[in-house]
Amino acid sequence: MAAQGQRALAMGHAGVAVVNSAELAFFNPAGLSHLEGQLNVSVGFTGVLSQTKWQNQETGQFSETDSGLGTPFHAYISYKINETFTAGLAVYTPYGSSVEWEKDWAGSHLVNDINLESIFVQPLISIRLSDEVSIGGGPIFVTGNVNFNRNADRSLTDLEGNRSNVTIDDSGVTNWGWSASMLITPGEKFKAGINYRSEIILSSENGDATFSNFTNSPLTPANTVMGFQAELPLPAELTIGASYEFNDKWLFAFDYNRIFWNVYESLDIDFEDPSVPNSINPRNYKSASTYRFGLQYKALENLTLRTGYYLDESPVRDGFFAPETPRNDANGFTGGISYQVNDKIAIDASFLYVRFEEVDTSYDPYTVNGQEAPFEGTYNSNAFLPGIGLTYNL
Amino acid sequence: MDPSVEDDRIYESGNTDFSNFVAVGNSLTAGFMDGALYRSGQMSAFPNIMAGQFEFVGGGEFNQPLMNDDLGGLLFNGQKIAQNRLVLAVDEQGNPAPAELAGNPTTEVTNTLSGSFNNVGVPGARSFELTLNGYGNAANLPTAANPYFVRFASSPDASVIEDAVAQNPSFFSLWIGNNDVLGYATNGGAGEDQTGNTDPSTYGPDDITDPNVFAQVYSGLVNSLNESASGGVLFNIPDVTSIPFFQVVPVQAVPLNEQTAAQLNAQFNLYNTQILGGLAQAGIISQNEVQQRQISFSEGDNFVTIRDENLTDLTTILQGPPFNLDPQTAQTLGQLRQANSSDLIPLTAASFIGTTVNDDPTLINGVTVPLGDQYVLTSEEQNKVQMATNAYNETIAGIAQQNELAFVDVNAILTQVNEGGIPYNGGTLTSEFVIGDSFSLDGIHLTPKGNALISNRAIEAINAQYGSTIPVVEIGDYKGITPSNNVAQ
């Protein structure tokens, strides 16, 4: 769930063609050169309170995730060098996932808990080519962490009945990517933007895989720590959008997002010890679109209200619904407020409520001795994301 | 979630009351598996699995007389009287085989448990033993009491059925009768078929219980449980010959090369022709018996030699003229025959066939020394088991119908497991030893997966009988065989 700027989030996370703060460093770096003032800063963070429930009515099994608290954050700064060039720096966390099911739940052979974090650090340049056209972009440095635990299979235990399980853990996995964008401003009221962020593949090569609660037998892996290799793709993303200012008070924004999830074909974990079978987990994602709508109303000189909605298509295909990323098509409802404390500082608050459509689905590719053993059930998820930030302008 | 398994009452209890479920029976009810009773096995006992599902329809807690550890094994006054559980160990050659888990058992029989237990399954109990007062009295060990019941009997004089009835069960399960034929079968028919003898106090431990005794005891048990119960489920007795215990060791268990086979044939040549021929001429044995007694080996896998008590005993005759054999040889040949494809060899013979007597390389068990009665279940003995089992099952089905109780045809279910298997999500349960996942390493008792299967079939029978809608469990979530190399050396 995206939460990369409090002002944009309040407007359905639409912002590729909205010029009002340094949040543009994420949404459309080309627009940074349109900001007023020499120095613009936006910082903020969001609390992610999410919950997923699963049940199988045939067996009566049910489980729910421990909501925990994810905290995506962002910090953007831009500095106007001259009328043409603006430099910037963005630090943000566009892909993160934290799901913790009840230990040894019915789907524990697929996941007990997972925590993925990635931090993007991006120096930026924005160039105002003409009154109507500006471009921007820059290289992205990514550093990521992963921690993933699941049981060895559906039933294996040690002699006391404790479930055999494997944890993979790695931190400081790095790679590079880039983004490029353009903003077109044919008139005072209408703006159009396009932003592209490249695919970045995180290859984990130095992490540890910890095997626990296996019995002492050559027929099962030993309780040990070994290396592993795995690749996690962070997909490319394209956003096209526009905004229109009806008058001094009202602004409407629309973004179309396409995330190229089709790169995520399989999560394969290659254990160092060749006698331990590799873990092959087909994902077979499809690219998916999100439609974002936002509305801004300047109620008072120092008070701005925002609201928005988005429709998010799930990249998960039926039959590939893995409980580590229990996401179905979702409706996001957003709102927010900005209060201008003085001519330099504003406080931005936002919230997002996401309601995922309840879905009866399954993960089919899990196999036992070559035979498929689908994991079926009904999933119901929702999330509430309150956020707060500061905007500074000099 | 709508409807929610967790919050909404979406399953129906039908016209019965599951609030106080009491399970009565033997090792199968207790959760005995891998040759022992141990904690994690007890957690996988079919009544415990059922009780978990009964919670969706108002079922209460299900207390079990849990063992002290996950080793199994029993101590009586500090002496080990029952072996630890079996695990699948891999030897240096890479061959997996069952072996006893290492460790000292900590469950002392005389440390009796207090409180009442919903699982009143007593490993080893025969039908009539459930009604025996003093069956839980340590003073009566080892013959007239059962160490497992000693642990949790409400008092030394209580009977199993009294302790069950005292709990006022609202629902019960009864699976009893297996041991009324099993001891006879697993000991190769060394015991007696007591059909016709209606006094069970005269029975030995490996005898077949008289079907009339069974019928009378069984109907008494059901009547007692029915006093308070609004419903119950009865299980019948599987054909014991379909279990891996009788399928692992082939009758052709003696691999020979050409040279050894020729040597052995030379040894038996005189016996096959002169001795048997002479005895037939003398009218002591029939031509048919002469054929049965022929001993012949060839290159490849050969039938083991056995001692068959249905043959005429020649031991004494062979010691007299004209044969004048020494007593040992006469004893060897006395009721000797080679096994045939209708005989069954119990799993216990696996580690015995091929061993030598007194380290004498010419005295090989199963070859030059016939296997004793306890290592072979002949077709005659199988028939006796079959007859008794059929009679018990007729009784069980009849009483289920009369009392309008749910009925589980375990015999049919395990026949299906044996003949092609029963599929579940992610596998198929078969009776193949170790890899079939249904039977534990003792070759007799079910694995957790096997218990889950029985539990599901019981739930289906209950739903059909009482109009309830109790959900079944996912068999794939339950364990099969446990591998471990932590075995006694």
Side-chain angles (χ1 to χ4, degrees), chain A residues 55 57 61 155 157 215-216 374, chain B residues 3 5 11 477 479 483 485-486:
Chain A
Q55 71 178 26
Q57 209 170 315
Q61 291 164 303
S155 63
T157 70
T215 56
N216 165 32
Chain B
V5 164
Y11 303 107
D477 291 349
K479 273 182 72 158
N485 269 23
N486 291 357

Side-chain angles (χ1 to χ4, degrees), chain A residues 53-62 64 106 109 154-161 163 215-220 358 368-369 371-375 378-380, chain B residues 1-7 10-11 40 53 56 70 85 87-88 90 96 101 424-428 449 471-474 476-480 482-486:
Chain A
K53 291 184 174 197
W54 169 89
Q55 71 178 26
N56 182 325
Q57 209 170 315
E58 224 169 283
T59 60
Q61 291 164 303
F62 63 86
E64 59 191 347
H109 56 296
R154 295 185 295 175
S155 63
L156 195 67
T157 70
D158 66 9
L159 293 168
E160 284 76 40
R163 296 286 295 274
T215 56
N216 165 32
S217 169
L219 300 173
T220 58
E358 187 168 301
V368 183
N369 299 324
Q371 184 174 342
E372 276 193 358
F375 179 72
T378 307
Y379 291 85
N380 182 306
Chain B
M1 214 170 269
D2 185 34
S4 165
V5 164
E6 187 184 7
D7 305 325
I10 66 173
Y11 303 107
S40 53
Q53 300 302 91
F56 291 111
D70 261 294
R85 67 195 268 202
V87 287
L88 190 69
V90 180
L101 182 62
Y424 63 93
N425 182 18
T428 300
K449 273 196 171 75
V472 295
V473 299
E474 176 80 284
D477 291 349
Y478 292 82
K479 273 182 72 158
T482 300
S484 173
N485 269 23
N486 291 357

Side-chain angles (χ1 to χ4, degrees), chain A residues 62-63 90 92 112 134 140 163 171 191 204 238 242 277 342 371 387:
Chain A
F62 63 86
S63 186
Y92 53 99
N112 268 314
S134 49
I140 300 171
R163 296 286 295 274
S171 56
K191 296 183 178 68
S204 175
L238 177 70
N342 55 40
Q371 184 174 342

